[in-house]
Amino acid sequence: MKWLPTLLRAFTAALLIIGGVPAYAQTTAATPALWAVKDADTTIYLFGTVHVMKPDIDWFHGDIKRAFDRSDELVLEIIEPDDPNAIGATMTSTALAKDGIKLSDRLAPDARAKYQAAMDANSLPWRTFDMFNPWMSGMALSVAPLAKLGYKNDLGAEKILRSAAEAAGKKVDALETVEQQVGFFASLPMAQQVQFLNATVDGLPDMENEFGDLLRYWQAGQPDKLAKSMNESLEATPELAQVLLTGRNANWAKWIKARLDQPGTVFVAVGAGHLAGKGSVQDQLKTLGLCARRLKDVKP
């Protein structure tokens, strides 16, 4: 699965930015937001995804399905390797601490005790993780509890979209590589890695409720409310937000602008947090003189 950054209140805002976000609801027909950027001969749809779900969310229908069907190409954040161990191998080799300092020794005594208890509670061997840098444990703790709550990676939006694209003979491409996404974490200064890990541990008790709030907004197609919840996290960690969110959004906006020079129809699917709030892909497009409009305002 993909691996996401967690800004403050970790795995809530973060799991809408890179990698996996679970869906949290009873059986329902979700209506997530969808945008389009157009010129005379090119249409680029923008869809915010969640990456792991429970089996009772019906989202691949209506405007989203119609936009996907009329697209020639699917573009994701990354193309997940067919070998499920490939990402783990990349992460492990990158995450090894090079300075010989144990992860537990990087934490203050009270934070260390909470961290080790959280790892034990989620069946993660903190002694083994002592050889890694803090971001690795932060990611592990962001993902491990989800299975207990019934969320499944194979139901994630990217997997559904990629499978449908390949079945239809559509081209599948990516904005980033696995190595680039891992690099976002590995390049964080150590102080920010520790902050990320501590925030992840502190947020674990509220995980299910906070996911519920954010994902209800996603299901209801309310990116403004989703962004408002996210901003409470982002404002406290502007350095992380720049590296993991707004900087990438700016790069993707430039890609979209360049892609408009080629005729065709493209369906771009990225973490929902990239398409919500200040500094979003839509905001970045505005600085380039482009307008991303909600699909309900765009003629087929």
Side-chain angles (χ1 to χ4, degrees):
M1 80 172 281
K2 299 180 183 66
W3 300 86
L4 322 183
T6 304
L7 303 175
L8 193 59
R9 295 161 65 191
F11 48 79
T12 50
L15 294 181
L16 291 167
I17 296 174
I18 304 181
V21 157
Y24 177 83
Q26 300 298 318
T27 301
T28 184
T31 56
L34 181 70
W35 293 262
V37 183
K38 304 179 72 170
D39 65 11
D41 58 4
T42 307
T43 297
I44 300 176
Y45 295 106
L46 303 178
F47 175 58
T49 61
V50 294
H51 308 280
V52 293
M53 298 194 195
K54 289 183 178 180
D56 41 16
I57 303 298
D58 177 21
W59 60 269
F60 195 29
H61 59 80
D63 287 340
I64 295 168
K65 183 64 163 58
R66 285 189 288 271
F68 176 84
D69 286 345
R70 65 171 67 106
S71 298
D72 310 305
E73 178 181 359
L74 170 67
V75 176
L76 305 170
E77 288 187 38
I78 64 170
I79 296 177
E80 188 174 344
D82 293 330
D83 179 1
N85 296 318
I87 293 182
T90 299
M91 291 183 65
T92 298
S93 62
T94 305
L96 285 171
K98 304 298 192 296
D99 56 10
I101 299 176
K102 292 181 179 181
L103 190 159
S104 294
D105 291 340
R106 300 184 191 276
L107 306 177
D110 58 338
R112 182 187 310 130
K114 292 173 63 177
Y115 158 70
Q116 292 174 351
M119 294 287 279
D120 286 340
N122 286 282
S123 302
L124 294 169
W126 63 263
R127 292 177 181 83
T128 300
F129 275 75
D130 263 351
M131 71 178 71
F132 297 126
N133 285 319
W135 68 265
M136 183 69 159
S137 288
M139 291 314 309
L141 282 172
S142 297
V143 173
L146 303 183
K148 294 181 179 179
L149 296 173
Y151 303 120
K152 299 180 181 296
N153 179 43
D154 59 1
L155 297 176
E158 280 81 1
K159 291 215 171 186
I160 300 300
L161 291 168
R162 182 179 174 185
S163 178
E166 291 174 345
K170 299 179 189 288
K171 179 181 178 182
V172 180
D173 208 342
L175 296 167
E176 298 171 345
T177 66
V178 171
E179 290 76 16
Q180 282 177 308
Q181 285 207 348
V182 172
F184 295 137
F185 299 104
S187 64
L188 290 172
M190 189 57 64
Q192 291 182 16
Q193 292 190 38
V194 170
Q195 181 187 34
F196 160 48
L197 175 56
N198 288 339
T200 303
V201 172
D202 289 342
L204 285 172
D206 298 322
M207 177 180 184
E208 190 169 8
N209 288 337
E210 293 196 5
F211 273 149
D213 290 341
L214 288 170
L215 294 168
R216 276 191 290 274
Y217 300 146
W218 175 80
Q219 291 173 255
Q222 298 175 322
D224 292 342
K225 290 186 177 181
L226 188 151
K228 183 177 180 180
S229 293
M230 286 181 58
N231 286 343
E232 296 177 10
S233 301
L234 304 181
E235 290 172 359
T237 53
E239 300 88 356
L240 284 174
Q242 176 59 37
V243 171
L244 302 173
L245 182 63
T246 54
R248 297 168 67 218
N249 292 348
N251 289 337
W252 297 351
K254 293 175 185 175
W255 182 93
I256 292 168
K257 181 177 175 64
R259 183 60 182 78
L260 286 171
D261 292 337
Q262 305 175 43
T265 304
V266 183
F267 193 96
V268 176
V270 298
H274 291 284
L275 304 180
K278 184 177 180 181
S280 64
V281 171
Q282 299 94 315
D283 272 1
Q284 305 287 354
L285 287 169
K286 287 179 184 178
T287 68
L288 300 177
L290 299 174
C291 177
R293 298 173 59 194
R294 284 287 293 268
L295 184 66
K296 62 184 179 182
D297 299 324
V298 177
K299 295 179 181 180

